[in-house]
Amino acid sequence: MRRLGLGGWVGLSLVLAFVLIAIAAPWLYPGDPQDRVGRALIWPFEDPALPFGTDRLGRDLAAGIAHGTRVSLLVGFAAAAAAITIGVVVGSLAGYLGGLIDDALMRLTDTVQTIPGFVLALALVAVLGAGVGTVILAIAVSSWTGTARIVRAEVSSWRERDLVLACRAMGMGHGEILFRQILPNIAAPVIVLASVVVAVAILVESALSFLGFGDPSLISWGAMVAEGRGLLRRAWYVAAVPGAAIVVVVVAISLAGDALTRALDPRRG
Amino acid sequence: MKPGQLGQVVRRRLAHAVPVLLVVALATFGLLKLAPGDAVDVLIATGGGGDAALAADLRRAYGLDQPWPAQLAHYLWRLVQLDLGYSFVHNRPVSHLIWERLPVSLLLMASATAFAVGFGIVLGVSAGQTPGGWRDRLILSVGLVLYAMPSFWVGLMLILIFAVKLALFPVGGFETAASDLTGIARVLDIAWHAVLPTVALALLFVSVYLRLMRAGVVEVASADFVRTARAKGVGATRILWAHVARNALLPVVAMVGVQAATLLGGAVVIESVFSLPGLGRLAYDSVLARDLVVLLGLLLTSAVIVIAINTVVDLVVAALDPRVVAR
Amino acid sequence: MSLLQIDQLSVRFGATMALDSLSLAIAAGETLALVGESGSGKSTAALAIAGLLSHQATVTGTIRFDGQALTDWRGVRQGGIAMVFQDAMSALNPVHRIGAQVVEALRLPRAEQRVAAARFLDQVGLPQPERLVDAYPHELSGGMRQRVGIAIAVAQNPRLLIADEPTTALDVTIQAQILALLRDLKARLGLSLLLVTHDLGVVAETADRVAVLYAGCLMELAPAAALFTSPHHPYTQGLLEARPPFGTQAPMLAELVEIPGQLPRLDPPPAGCRFAARCDRADQRCRAEQPVLRPIADTLVACHHA
């Protein structure tokens, strides 16, 4: 665990803190974060009870940040989980089966990498309507390609090794070999990639909700930044504070991911 | 690079592009069918209503009453003719809408890529020269934060600092409205407007390229040919740039192609922040208006743009690395 | 006076003593072979003399070239010391043209560069030098690449040429050609040659004197003929016995192998003789006291029993 380093500890602690905030938000800030709690545009630190101040409608920014954490982390982790699942399935099938199926799946991967995920997300919003589910789906269908490539490369290299032959000789089925013997060996690079996908998913969700295509019933950081957009001259903190929250959470996840890379890399330490 | 090799690179990329575009077209057709309602519903809604008989007539006229394989064939045939459909919201062909907004987006993407690659190279070389040193750690930390900043927020913060507080740059727009500028004055005006959006879009990619460049510099610095250059008596500065950076640059250039789709997605957001009349703005308006035909046309166009960028990147890589064409 | 004079040259990488108090000299026009297994410190010595060690290396001792102690090698890159490397593929920059690499450090006007480069390529026996100037390294064969590597060295107009395993990466027939080229250049240009190799066949064909290194220490320094006829150090004797007899295999292929045991760890090096652990004559004194070089006839030997 010493190998995590200072950055790794800071990152993991912050991620844990955000998770706790997300879980505890309804108790920390009971009621609807969209409710008015005081005068409009109270600056941060002006009122100790409202550390981040209030927005144009007198809503508590701190409450918004706390509740917004839920959306960011939910979308981030759910989209990453879905993307990693798709990537692992596509990558393992391509790498293990090879041949025509491999060619077809890799062509599909090429194609998805050609479509800008954000434009696809906008099209999906137009088709399915705005909502957390749409956002998760949009991010998942455009972020699995990296995982698929890594898993495919690893699986096909493991396939060539004697391990698989030995397992076949012992009478194991293909599914058993793939899931019990090969995939556990490639968990490390996939976990590392997952942290990148989570970070990207949080950024994409914030951009969608900034444009107003997030879930209209939930408060989210991107939407809060959009609220502050018209107030840059009078009260720039309304846009700055939720944006800073995004930066901190993404930095934390990246630091944690880098630390995991070091901790899981068998060639080091 | 010899002219024949140039053709070879382009042909290889285009041969690859055809099946990719076909799959994208199938996907857009699928989305079109998935959407509640069809073009006729949109037409009637925007046209202020109409009865069922009119709707049926229109469906027959547009071929929407036919079985879906026939519709698909019809759809693909129109795409081959570069017909992306008709927007009833704008009352214009989608291809016209896209064509007139394309230059703004391409300009933004090109300037952001130039900025990102330039700064990525300089920062990456600077960091990779002394791996583990204070400069390296500082630059990597900056890169980490650049990566974590959402581009729309960067855009707003740049507007806050450089447009609102310092009044150095305009808050948005492609050029000064109704200024009647022409020639070089207009170019400068557009460039002046492009500074903040370029930086806002580029910072994420600065982070990507600087990390790649740094890793390359660290790796190449221990290459045998660098030792050969030292043995020859080549100066330290020339070794760093002509030997180390020159080779470390190759994966960075290749990465520009990999990032093309992300770049286009980022441009969509940045155009909205800075009120630029590009593809992103068109996409935004189309979501609000539920103008699916335009969005799907944009999706297809995006794929074409990404393929085009990758073709250009292939050519640049082939020009920079004499080993590539041989492969 | 010697062209190159090395005194008490030691190189450490952290705790590892890669080269321990090497002293030797190379006369003008002489070929000295530096032989040893991998890990013996022979390449480290060569890189130290050429001023090409990495920053991690700690170097002590003095290297004199033409009477001047070297602290900064910039003055000897032209007209002084040049080096040829083992792997010519990786020693050439893949993205620059051959001609540009040959004359890169010469500060010639652009108009003269091509002609000069072609002249150097011609000097090392490359065919069609005017066309090769525009070629890239990957377009050349291994032997041609090594000739380019030698052309780069020749372009520096050196008086001492260091060749670090110049033929190891090549096919047997090409090896002979490259060695012939080095001998030819030496005679034509009046060079001194420091030949680093683990191949005793190469040594026998090329060297005037031989320095045998083991685990960072100089074990024996002798004229080539004397070394092959009457080796004094047990290590040298072991090496020569390990050579395949003539007739069964070309002497070119002879390699330093088949002495039982391994190189000792050098972080830190053992007390006493470095070879003691593998030597069948080793006794208490060998394990405790490091032997110093002493003259026997025209040979220097570091062994208590020689």
Side-chain angles (χ1 to χ4, degrees), chain A residues 203-253:
Chain A
L203 288 170
V204 171
E205 187 280 328
S206 72
L208 280 173
S209 53
F210 171 76
L211 293 180
F213 304 138
D215 197 315
S217 59
L218 295 170
I219 191 162
S220 83
W221 294 342
M224 291 172 72
V225 175
E227 284 281 320
R229 189 176 172 179
L231 299 166
L232 280 183
R233 282 172 207 281
R234 279 196 293 157
W236 55 265
Y237 65 89
V238 180
V241 169
I246 301 171
V247 177
V248 174
V249 85
V250 175
V251 165
I253 289 168

Side-chain angles (χ1 to χ4, degrees), chain B residues 224 228 231-232 238 242-243, chain C residues 77 90-91 93 96 101 104 156:
Chain B
D224 285 357
T228 306
K232 280 191 281 195
R238 188 173 157 78
H243 291 278
Chain C
R77 296 290 181 216
S90 60
N93 191 326
H96 290 318
Q101 298 196 48
E104 183 179 4
Q156 292 172 256

Side-chain angles (χ1 to χ4, degrees), chain B residues 224-225 227-228 230-234 238 242-243 246-247 250 320-323 326, chain C residues 47 51-53 77 85 90-96 101 104-105 136 138 152 156:
Chain B
D224 285 357
F225 61 78
R227 196 177 57 188
T228 306
R230 284 172 65 205
K232 280 191 281 195
V234 179
R238 188 173 157 78
H243 291 278
R246 175 69 176 71
N247 278 276
L250 301 174
L320 289 176
D321 187 346
R323 293 163 297 181
Chain C
L47 290 173
L52 294 173
L53 285 171
R77 296 290 181 216
F85 299 96
S90 60
L92 298 176
N93 191 326
V95 301
H96 290 318
Q101 298 196 48
E104 183 179 4
Y136 289 100
H138 74 271
I152 289 175
Q156 292 172 256

Side-chain angles (χ1 to χ4, degrees), chain C residues 134-274:
Chain C
D134 292 322
Y136 289 100
H138 74 271
E139 297 168 334
L140 272 53
S141 70
M144 290 171 86
R145 280 187 216 121
Q146 190 56 293
R147 284 178 192 265
V148 172
I150 295 170
I152 289 175
V154 169
Q156 292 172 256
N157 188 28
R159 294 163 69 192
L160 170 65
L161 181 64
I162 302 172
D164 185 2
E165 304 268 14
T167 61
T168 309
L170 302 173
D171 290 342
V172 180
T173 48
I174 311 292
Q175 289 187 353
Q177 291 173 15
I178 295 293
L179 277 183
L181 172 64
L182 287 175
R183 282 196 298 269
D184 173 50
L185 284 173
K186 188 196 143 195
R188 257 196 295 147
L189 306 175
L191 303 175
S192 298
L193 191 59
L194 175 61
L195 186 64
V196 178
T197 183
H198 67 277
D199 187 334
L200 288 175
V202 170
V203 175
E205 282 187 54
T206 315
D208 300 318
R209 284 192 302 144
V210 184
V212 180
L213 284 181
Y214 182 82
C217 286
L218 182 59
M219 293 296 174
E220 184 161 3
L221 180 63
L227 186 94
F228 281 99
T229 51
S230 56
H232 291 283
H233 198 285
Y235 177 60
T236 318
Q237 290 164 359
L239 291 181
L240 292 171
E241 281 163 21
R243 290 180 74 199
F246 283 95
T248 56
Q249 203 177 8
M252 292 287 307
L253 289 178
E255 297 197 350
L256 308 185
V257 282
E258 307 310 324
I259 298 172
Q262 289 175 337
L263 283 173
R265 290 182 64 105
L266 297 175
D267 54 337
C273 177
R274 301 278 161 89

Side-chain angles (χ1 to χ4, degrees), chain C residues 102-114:
Chain C
V102 171
V103 297
E104 183 179 4
L106 298 190
R107 298 171 192 281
L108 292 173
R110 191 165 282 272
E112 294 171 27
Q113 287 181 354
R114 280 183 64 91

Side-chain angles (χ1 to χ4, degrees), chain A residues 88-111:
Chain A
V88 168
V89 169
V90 171
S92 335
L93 287 177
Y96 197 84
L97 297 175
L100 273 176
I101 293 174
D102 184 18
D103 288 347
L105 287 175
M106 283 302 105
R107 250 321 134 69
L108 180 68
T109 310
D110 285 346
T111 307

Side-chain angles (χ1 to χ4, degrees), chain B residues 31-120:
Chain B
L31 279 172
L32 204 56
K33 294 287 113 184
L34 200 66
D38 57 20
V40 171
D41 293 324
V42 177
L43 179 59
I44 288 175
T46 46
D51 58 16
L54 174 65
D57 281 350
L58 282 169
R59 287 206 169 84
R60 212 168 305 120
Y62 287 107
L64 293 173
D65 58 337
Q66 296 185 6
W68 70 263
Q71 289 187 30
L72 174 61
H74 183 62
Y75 179 75
L76 292 177
W77 176 236
R78 282 191 311 145
L79 289 184
V80 170
Q81 297 167 295
L82 301 182
D83 176 3
L84 294 174
Y86 193 86
S87 166
F88 295 111
V89 175
H90 293 86
N91 231 341
R92 296 185 56 195
V94 173
S95 52
H96 291 195
L97 288 169
I98 290 177
W99 191 249
E100 79 189 17
R101 290 162 196 252
L102 195 56
V104 174
S105 297
L106 290 185
L107 184 69
L108 177 60
M109 288 164 68
S111 61
T113 299
F115 183 97
V117 171
F119 276 82

